[in-house]
Amino acid sequence: MINFQYLRTTTAKSAIALLVKDKNAKFLAGGTNLIDLMKRGVTAPEKLIDINHVPLKQIEQIGNKIHIGALASNSAVADHPLIKEKLPLLSWALQAGASAQLRNVATVGGNMMQRTRCGYFYDIEMPCNKRQPGTGCGAIEGFNRMHAIFGTSEQCIAVHPSDMCVALVALDAEVVLANAKGERKISFKDFHRLAGDTPQLDNNLKVDEMIIRLEIPVNNLAKNYHYLKVRDRASYAFALVSVAAALEISNNKIIDVRLAMGGVAHKPWRLTASENFLKGKEAILSNFEQAAQLAMQDAKGFGGNDFKLKLAPNTIIEALNLAKSKA
Amino acid sequence: MEKRMLKDDNDRVDGILKVTGQAKYFAEYELPGLTYGVLVTSTITKGRITALNTKDAEKAPGVIAVISHLNKPSATAYEQEGGPQMKIFYTDRIFYNGQPIAIVVANTFERATYAASLVKATYAKEEFNTDFEKALKDPKAKKLQGQADYKRGEENAYKNAEVKLEERYFLPIETHNPMELHGIIADWRPNNQLTVYAKTQGVKATQGTIANVFKIPMENIQVNSEFVGGGFGMALRTWPLEIATVMASKHIGKPVKVVITRMKMFTMVGNRPAAIQTIGLGANKDGKLTGITHRAYGETSTYENFTEGVVNMAKFMYQCDNVNTSYAIVPVDLGVPIWMRGPGEATGAFALESAIDEMAHALGMDPLDFRIKNDPETDQQKNKPFSSKNIKEAYKIGAEKIGWNNRKNEPGSLVEGPWQTGYGVSVGVFNANRGKASVKGTLKADGSLLLQSATSDIGPGTGTGMTLIANRLMKIPVNKITFELGDSSLPPAPSQGGSATLSTVGSAVNDVCVALKSAIAELAANSNMDATANFVDVLKKNNLPQIEITKESQGGKEKDNYSMYSFSIHFVQVKVHSLTGVVKVSKIVSVGDSGTIVSPKTARSQMLGGAVGGIGMALTEESIIDHRYGRYINNNFADYHVPVNADVPEIDVNFINKPDPYINPMGAKGMGEIALIGFSAAVANAVFNATGKRIRTLPITPDKILA
């Protein structure tokens, strides 16, 4: 086998210290994606730093924010009473992802860090700019049914596969990152990147940094919400398109609204223009339809994924319908 | 082994073993000195290996040997002229991407895996084509006749019919993907003695193939395959990777185990070939069929031809005086296909049963009425009566259970919010066969019966069915009956395929039991005992610990006099989301017409599995290739979608359960294939009924609904 060093640590500080020592080191949490990538030869870290014993599993409310530790498991978050009560959109999105077995071991931080599921990325015999910059993109003129319609580049049209992240971007989450010198906080929407000319980079986490926790403001969006994931089978499949929708409605008027999409871009895709359009308007179908059209302004298909140009607005409309009609 | 924990007589005899992990599958055997093999595969699609650098691999830790065409260990048949083109390790030619080109053997699986990654091949590449549709359009590309053309009455009569249609149907490659990965353990010992632990649908077939390739006597080879974790047809032959493993064991003189990865399951063990079919149907305005034309093209490899019964059903399923069929195969640069559950008939039924539905719609008829109106009394192809056929009764049962009267003939009539509801029906049919098999029966003075035959169980519950046949004949409790299989030293039986095991081996069980009974009766008479005396008393009185009888059994002339088929009717209700294009199968009623149901529980399980496989064929399964590279894109369980629990509604299984008077002593016909055949058309027909959209390309994914 390809040998690697396995290290285990129990504090974030020591984990970061180990990480900076070796640029070929990677953190190992649930390993549900990383181990696959190692088996397929996509990545070959020289050191795996097992951080599962670092105490970052908290799920708690501090002030008006809910804090979720980076090592809380997907199922622990999805099933936590605080999340179900105050951030049910997040709970639903998590439950739409993977399978129960995977959710039990996959962590919040790992979910954010998972790589694309593009088939060209996984097959080391085929070109992929994300895996090996400069080799070309197999998907642009190849099989691109699962691929992006927003924010694509000539280098890469891969999508970020997470469901959880779609809800988090909609919920205005923030991410706390740490390096040896201290912590910084960034908006969740700025965590992931577009492919641009650097498709090898999925996000803005620096090489010496570790994800510590999420902070999510409590909101009034826990009543009318829906996470609608359209996929090829009813469970355990990545999204063709998914929509996180949440509404705050008063007298059928939209006070606040959040919309984000998955399966359409290199990062979870927040629909700001649609939200701005809907704010203050009536929660009626014609407005939902207009909002959906607004969301599609810069969309571009690549052949195999052209159907998303129709599926995406339809899914936005249906997610808003379902969010609105939730009792 | 403790396996006698049955709650009732119909339980699976090996159910407890399977759910408690005691059932031992091939990969679980640990032999002393076991080594591990990993196959190196080609990364080009067509050409030649010009150089193979194995030095780094040979030097890697734990590596025992690297075997390739450079050091081809002796396999006598491969050294002779003729034989298969793709002789593993005997050719430098590359026929497809993912072809095994070397095997690395090491003392651990991980070390073999790593060393395999160090083998570097240099190739002379040639132009290739893996695109079946492209080959079909290319006038220069080879097309080979796959089955003799068939004609009854006038050719293409549909073209002159009062009502006519001609449509084209496309089925992509499907990959069997049983849960259990493929592989083998081979232990070649001095004096050309070989033991293998295999995953096979036929221990005798595996034994025969290995004997042939290595030219050693059959009796030198012991094949064990007691439990198989799903086959669906892919274990009906001995694959090159298995020959490679035997070669490796012979070469190093140690047992070698190979278990391939899920990725390699897409390239090394076959698939259901893609098919393009055209159906022409003609009918008069009263709804009688006047012409059926079924033309099919199936995919095959360049190095070996594969054919299946794609156009069989069109020849006899419906009453029609003018029928013609043709079937050609088209070679592409991919691995050779193999039968996959319901083989060609499932492919053909998708097209024919979709077209029948389309014709009913064109006529403004209920598709069920249309089928009943054209249901034949006799087999017009063979010009013989059916041995048994209860299709009309099956239609009636299924229609009632699904609530067919809720269906509206006008598509798109049942709407509830964004969801559209539709109903569909389809027929499945498959040859009811009876082959030749031998069973040894040992009746013991302790009151037990041991039955032995070199048959297989890839999951349907062979042992359970055989035990029940013996139980009913011998009046011996099931917990006193043992049926042994999956061992090549037992009396011979054919491979488990084509839905024939229960009929074939069951008949031999029947014959052995009958013989044992008369032997006991004779013994009783000779020892002045009552003719009805219990066999235990008879054996004891005669001081016999046991009696043994081996019987070979096969059918007779009945096959010449009757047309024998198993039938199934699949009814489905679907819900289609008009905005997202998602199709949910919301209700399933399957009715099997396959003679006597010998083993009710395992028979029902077969039908459940067929329906689940049918959902996959209809809605989710497709092996996708990037034709620029000739490589599979979705070769894993995350991206190749077999149905999950959430896709499967409750399945209502029904059987006609009337004995076929001719086929065999049990009156039982096979049902492994009919459980699946036709199902995908029922779904496509229901989707049409729900939406008015006719999808002729499987699988019916959301994008096709939205298109």
Side-chain angles (χ1 to χ4, degrees):
Chain A
M1 59 190 286
I2 301 174
N3 286 317
F4 58 85
Q5 210 180 347
Y6 172 84
L7 306 162
R8 186 189 283 180
T9 184
T10 54
T11 67
K13 203 176 162 189
S14 61
I16 293 165
L18 287 169
L19 181 73
V20 296
K21 269 203 253 172
D22 187 339
K23 71 177 195 285
N24 270 322
K26 275 190 168 30
F27 289 140
L28 174 71
T32 59
N33 189 207
L34 179 60
I35 302 299
D36 277 352
L37 292 165
M38 289 170 69
K39 284 185 184 171
R40 294 289 298 262
V42 175
T43 187
E46 285 167 17
K47 277 184 191 165
L48 282 188
I49 304 160
D50 185 338
I51 53 173
N52 283 294
H53 298 272
V54 177
L56 289 173
K57 296 187 180 172
Q58 78 280 14
I59 300 168
E60 61 194 350
Q61 183 165 353
I62 298 177
N64 66 344
K65 286 184 177 174
I66 290 171
H67 289 215
I68 301 173
L71 289 164
S73 75
N74 285 192
S75 53
V77 178
D79 298 339
H80 198 282
L82 189 62
I83 305 298
K84 282 178 144 176
E85 187 201 331
K86 301 200 167 161
L87 303 171
L89 180 67
L90 176 60
S91 177
W92 274 42
L94 277 162
Q95 282 176 0
S99 65
Q101 295 92 331
L102 286 165
R103 292 194 295 269
N104 284 341
V105 288
T107 63
V108 164
N111 190 317
M112 291 163 64
M113 294 299 291
Q114 67 179 306
R115 311 297 311 266
T116 184
R117 305 294 162 149
C118 174
Y120 299 92
F121 177 70
Y122 277 80
D123 186 345
I124 59 171
E125 300 299 335
M126 291 208 265
C128 173
N129 286 327
K130 181 180 279 298
R131 175 173 27 81
Q132 209 179 339
T135 54
C137 172
I140 288 175
E141 287 175 17
F143 175 73
N144 52 40
R145 183 170 174 271
M146 302 300 291
H147 289 70
I149 53 172
F150 292 113
T152 53
S153 80
E154 284 173 17
Q155 301 283 316
C156 179
I157 60 170
V159 297
H160 193 260
S162 170
D163 293 296
M164 177 192 82
C165 293
V166 180
L168 287 172
V169 79
L171 292 169
D172 282 341
E174 293 173 302
V175 191
V176 176
L177 309 169
N179 66 10
K181 290 182 194 137
E183 293 187 349
R184 68 175 175 129
K185 200 191 278 188
I186 63 168
S187 167
F188 193 87
K189 71 176 175 0
D190 297 327
F191 181 80
H192 293 99
R193 299 163 60 101
L194 288 180
D197 290 330
T198 52
Q200 70 275 22
L201 300 177
D202 294 348
N203 54 58
N204 291 311
L205 186 75
K206 294 187 179 135
V207 288
D208 64 346
E209 284 181 321
M210 179 177 185
I211 305 171
I212 301 298
R213 69 177 175 275
L214 296 169
E215 294 184 9
I216 309 161
V218 174
N219 54 46
N220 293 321
L221 301 158
K223 185 168 170 273
N224 291 104
Y225 64 91
H226 197 86
Y227 186 76
L228 180 58
K229 182 177 182 182
V230 181
R231 44 185 155 175
D232 286 324
R233 63 180 166 190
S235 176
Y236 192 53
F238 293 100
L240 297 167
V241 167
S242 67
V243 173
L247 296 161
E248 184 187 346
I249 306 173
S250 178
N251 296 325
N252 209 36
K253 205 168 184 187
I254 299 168
I255 309 297
D256 192 8
V257 53
R258 306 293 173 79
L259 279 172
M261 263 197 277
V264 293
H266 197 258
K267 59 187 284 186
W269 197 248
R270 181 90 178 250
L271 307 179
T272 314
S274 305
E275 289 178 4
N276 290 340
F277 168 80
L278 285 171
K279 270 179 208 159
K281 295 218 170 49
E282 267 194 286
I284 52 172
L285 181 61
S286 58
N287 284 333
F288 295 166
E289 285 171 348
Q290 279 196 58
Q293 282 318 310
L294 271 175
M296 298 306 294
Q297 271 175 350
D298 300 315
K300 179 189 167 192
F302 290 84
N305 65 353
D306 287 351
F307 71 96
K308 291 189 181 183
L309 303 177
K310 189 171 177 185
L311 177 60
N314 281 2
T315 310
I316 294 168
I317 294 164
E318 182 65 355
L320 284 166
N321 278 334
L322 291 166
K324 181 197 164 187
S325 60
K326 203 167 179 87
Chain B
M1 277 193 293
E2 184 47 62
K3 55 181 175 184
R4 300 286 167 227
M5 292 167 63
L6 308 179
K7 273 213 205 106
D8 75 57
D9 285 357
N10 290 324
D11 280 351
R12 281 187 85 104
V13 294
D14 50 6
I16 298 289
L17 291 179
K18 286 193 165 181
V19 298
T20 56
Q22 295 174 79
K24 207 165 174 179
Y25 294 81
F26 88 87
E28 298 177 296
Y29 285 86
E30 284 300 329
L31 308 185
L34 185 63
T35 66
Y36 302 83
V38 168
L39 293 147
V40 181
T41 58
S42 74
T43 55
I44 68 155
T45 303
K46 193 176 177 183
R48 280 182 192 279
I49 306 168
T50 53
L52 196 67
N53 187 340
T54 60
K55 282 197 193 111
D56 291 345
E58 280 158 9
K59 280 187 280 187
V63 170
I64 298 158
V66 181
I67 296 155
S68 68
H69 70 287
L70 299 177
N71 56 352
K72 44 184 174 189
S74 90
T76 313
Y78 278 4
E79 282 156 24
Q80 294 163 349
E81 289 296 308
Q85 275 196 70
M86 213 284 270
K87 299 175 183 178
I88 189 160
F89 306 154
Y90 270 71
T91 177
D92 59 357
R93 284 183 62 193
I94 299 300
F95 298 95
Y96 69 94
N97 211 315
Q99 175 184 323
I101 57 171
I103 186 170
V104 177
V105 185
N107 58 1
T108 72
F109 171 71
E110 289 77 8
R111 285 174 156 178
T113 301
Y114 173 60
S117 75
L118 301 177
V119 176
K120 296 293 171 216
T122 312
Y123 303 99
K125 291 186 196 176
E126 293 169 23
E127 269 188 41
F128 64 87
N129 176 40
T130 56
D131 186 343
F132 172 55
E133 281 186 274
K134 191 175 148 196
L136 201 55
K137 282 181 206 144
D138 179 0
K140 281 179 292 180
K142 247 196 254 177
K143 279 129 200 140
L144 312 164
Q145 191 171 57
Q147 191 184 74
D149 287 354
Y150 173 80
K151 191 176 87 171
R152 171 166 87 231
E154 189 190 328
E155 190 169 341
N156 298 333
Y158 75 95
K159 289 187 174 170
N160 306 317
E162 286 176 6
V163 183
K164 63 186 167 188
L165 64 83
E166 185 189 303
E167 296 295 350
R168 211 154 177 260
Y169 302 86
F170 182 77
L171 180 85
I173 294 174
E174 285 183 75
T175 304
H176 306 66
N177 272 317
M179 192 77 88
E180 183 191 30
L181 297 166
H182 199 62
I184 191 166
I185 297 173
D187 182 17
W188 191 295
R189 296 181 306 280
N191 303 319
N192 294 334
Q193 297 291 318
L194 174 67
T195 300
V196 303
Y197 296 86
K199 171 189 171 79
T200 178
Q201 296 181 226
V203 285
K204 296 302 287 183
T206 300
Q207 185 190 33
T209 303
I210 294 171
N212 253 332
V213 173
F214 293 92
K215 294 288 177 237
I216 57 173
M218 289 270 275
E219 54 271 22
N220 285 22
I221 305 168
Q222 170 64 35
V223 180
N224 303 305
S225 184
E226 188 183 358
F227 293 99
V228 174
F232 310 113
M234 53 69 59
L236 274 169
R237 70 178 283 177
T238 304
W239 293 99
L241 78 96
E242 295 167 80
I243 299 298
T245 312
V246 176
M247 273 183 185
S249 176
K250 185 178 179 185
H251 186 71
I252 67 169
K254 286 180 178 166
V256 180
K257 169 155 87 173
V258 167
V259 180
I260 63 173
T261 59
R262 181 60 58 186
M263 265 167 73
K264 288 174 178 167
M265 293 293 281
F266 285 76
T267 48
M268 289 194 186
V269 290
N271 50 52
R272 187 196 297 282
I276 290 175
Q277 305 175 67
T278 306
I279 303 269
L281 290 183
N284 66 26
K285 284 179 181 154
D286 299 337
K288 288 294 270 184
L289 280 165
T290 57
I292 301 174
T293 298
H294 188 170
R295 297 192 186 282
Y297 293 93
E299 188 173 59
T300 187
S301 74
T302 58
Y303 60 90
E304 205 177 309
N305 293 334
F306 174 79
T307 62
E308 52 184 357
V310 180
V311 297
N312 289 358
M313 184 172 171
K315 298 171 191 172
F316 65 88
M317 193 65 224
Y318 294 101
Q319 183 77 30
C320 185
D321 294 338
N322 306 299
V323 177
N324 61 298
T325 69
S326 69
Y327 169 58
I329 51 171
V330 184
V332 291
D333 297 305
L334 290 171
V336 69
I338 194 165
W339 302 283
M340 180 165 161
R341 195 174 192 177
E345 284 77 355
T347 303
F350 164 61
L352 181 66
E353 288 297 293
S354 292
I356 289 286
D357 196 75
E358 297 197 52
M359 178 53 94
H361 180 72
L363 291 162
M365 284 179 78
D366 180 316
L368 197 51
D369 294 341
F370 181 60
R371 282 183 173 81
I372 291 168
K373 186 156 194 165
N374 290 284
D375 186 52
E377 288 305 317
T378 59
D379 180 339
Q380 282 184 291
Q381 179 198 0
K382 293 179 185 154
N383 205 16
K384 285 173 196 166
F386 291 106
S387 59
S388 64
K389 177 166 173 276
N390 304 286
I391 283 274
K392 285 177 187 159
E393 188 182 338
Y395 282 139
K396 195 163 168 270
I397 292 170
E400 221 171 274
K401 297 229 170 180
I402 196 86
W404 190 254
N405 55 9
N406 294 322
R407 178 186 179 276
K408 306 274 178 263
N409 216 29
E410 184 58 34
S413 299
L414 300 173
V415 181
E416 202 178 323
W419 291 99
Q420 300 171 298
T421 299
Y423 294 83
V425 63
S426 169
V427 181
V429 62
F430 196 80
N431 258 323
N433 285 318
R434 175 181 174 186
K436 183 165 84 176
S438 297
V439 170
K440 178 178 172 184
T442 307
L443 204 49
K444 298 181 185 174
D446 65 3
S448 70
L449 170 64
L450 172 66
L451 297 162
Q452 296 169 301
S453 179
T455 182
S456 304
D457 184 9
I458 54 170
T462 307
T464 308
M466 301 306 156
T467 299
L468 287 170
I469 290 170
N471 158 256
R472 282 161 204 162
L473 277 164
M474 304 294 287
K475 313 284 182 224
I476 299 174
V478 290
N479 63 4
K480 289 275 188 188
I481 303 172
T482 302
F483 186 85
E484 287 181 1
L485 48 64
D487 173 343
S488 62
S489 68
L490 300 177
S495 296
Q496 184 160 57
S499 301
T501 301
L502 190 100
S503 173
T504 303
V505 184
S507 296
V509 167
N510 176 88
D511 293 1
V512 152
C513 289
V514 169
L516 285 169
K517 276 171 86 171
S518 40
I520 290 293
E522 201 180 316
L523 277 175
N526 292 344
S527 45
N528 298 319
M529 294 176 80
D530 194 278
T532 58
N534 183 288
F535 72 88
V536 175
D537 300 331
V538 177
L539 290 175
K540 281 183 178 161
K541 180 140 189 206
N542 286 277
N543 283 325
L544 289 169
Q546 62 185 49
I547 54 167
E548 292 175 8
I549 294 177
T550 301
K551 272 278 181 192
E552 184 183 89
S553 175
Q554 63 182 312
K557 280 207 168 14
E558 65 279 356
K559 197 93 198 166
D560 302 334
N561 301 329
Y562 294 95
S563 165
M564 298 181 176
Y565 288 99
S566 287
F567 302 91
S568 61
I569 319 290
H570 304 290
F571 285 89
V572 300
Q573 182 198 59
V574 301
K575 297 203 183 285
V576 183
H577 197 285
S578 54
L579 284 172
T580 62
V582 166
V583 178
K584 276 198 231 174
V585 177
S586 43
K587 213 169 168 184
I588 296 172
V589 178
S590 284
V591 189
D593 176 21
S594 56
T596 304
I597 298 305
V598 167
S599 171
K601 278 194 182 172
T602 56
R604 177 171 179 273
S605 295
Q606 284 261 61
M607 293 296 274
L608 298 181
V612 175
I615 294 173
M617 187 177 183
L619 298 182
T620 60
E621 291 186 51
E622 176 176 15
S623 301
I624 299 161
I625 295 162
D626 185 325
H627 297 301
R628 298 170 301 168
Y629 305 100
R631 291 177 72 82
Y632 285 92
I633 289 285
N634 63 336
N635 48 1
N636 58 74
F637 261 160
D639 297 319
Y640 182 90
H641 296 138
V642 296
V644 294
N645 281 331
D647 294 303
V648 182
E650 197 180 319
I651 301 164
D652 183 356
V653 175
N654 302 268
F655 293 109
I656 298 293
N657 199 11
K658 285 183 184 164
D660 183 295
Y662 306 106
I663 184 156
N664 56 39
M666 298 81 66
K669 301 193 281 193
M671 42 168 303
E673 323 294 333
I674 55 156
L676 177 86
I677 296 169
F679 194 93
S680 60
V683 175
N685 296 342
V687 166
F688 175 76
N689 182 240
T691 64
K693 283 180 183 161
R694 175 61 63 179
I695 313 289
R696 300 185 184 91
T697 299
L698 295 181
I700 305 172
T701 43
D703 45 324
K704 293 189 184 118
I705 298 287
L706 290 182

